[in-house]
Amino acid sequence: MVAVFILVFSAFALVKFGISQWRAIWIMTANQPLSDSLQVAAGIDGAAIGAGDFGTLLLLCNELSPELKKKSPWLREVSVYYRAVKKLEHAFSVKFPAISAWAKGEMQICSRYVAVVLDQSLSMSMDRQFATRAN
């Protein structure tokens, strides 16, 4: 019985560590500054990206860099997480404003992550174009 308890506790700790590691990676990415070229191309202010901008930024990803969903690490997972948190926010927005505020903060981080990933993709694409022109 003790061995089963240790196994369950270890599995729980491993899953919790994995989730924490995953969140740390995409939160660190989301905190990177956006370039001026993305802000001009997208018509957004990097400091004003909100929770509701996720869909717009994802559509912009599809327009400007359609291969990004296949290439980008974690973009699909962040999209799933965003949708889950959005449902949670809608379910608890009236009765539990603290959960709603937390959910909006998480959704804003997801939106910011998409903006940074798009910015990085566009920068790499421009670098490749300049490199081929130079040769």
Side-chain angles (χ1 to χ4, degrees), residues 7-57:
L7 178 66
V8 169
F9 181 76
S10 298
F12 176 75
L14 181 64
V15 168
K16 188 173 178 180
F17 174 75
I19 291 170
S20 297
Q21 181 69 20
W22 172 72
R23 284 192 76 239
I25 290 170
W26 63 265
I27 288 172
M28 188 173 60
T29 302
N31 287 330
Q32 294 180 6
L34 294 175
S35 69
D36 292 334
S37 60
L38 175 72
Q39 293 181 35
V40 170
I44 57 170
D45 180 19
I49 293 175
D53 294 331
F54 187 82
T56 305
L57 289 166

Side-chain angles (χ1 to χ4, degrees), residues 17-91:
F17 174 75
I19 291 170
S20 297
Q21 181 69 20
W22 172 72
R23 284 192 76 239
I25 290 170
W26 63 265
I27 288 172
M28 188 173 60
T29 302
N31 287 330
Q32 294 180 6
L34 294 175
S35 69
D36 292 334
S37 60
L38 175 72
Q39 293 181 35
V40 170
I44 57 170
D45 180 19
I49 293 175
D53 294 331
F54 187 82
T56 305
L57 289 166
L58 214 52
L59 286 174
L60 193 60
C61 281
N62 290 337
E63 290 175 11
L64 297 177
S65 187
E67 74 283 349
L68 186 60
K69 279 190 176 181
K70 296 174 189 171
K71 288 186 195 177
S72 176
W74 306 113
L75 189 57
R76 188 175 328 149
E77 290 84 355
V78 170
S79 297
V80 170
Y81 181 73
Y82 178 85
R83 288 192 300 270
V85 170
K86 187 174 183 177
K87 287 179 184 178
L88 195 85
E89 193 270 331
H90 283 304

Side-chain angles (χ1 to χ4, degrees), residues 107-124:
M107 291 166 34
Q108 182 179 16
I109 292 170
C110 292
S111 297
R112 180 98 177 134
Y113 176 83
V114 173
V116 169
V117 168
L118 177 61
D119 187 25
Q120 290 173 349
S121 175
L122 292 176
S123 293
M124 289 187 338

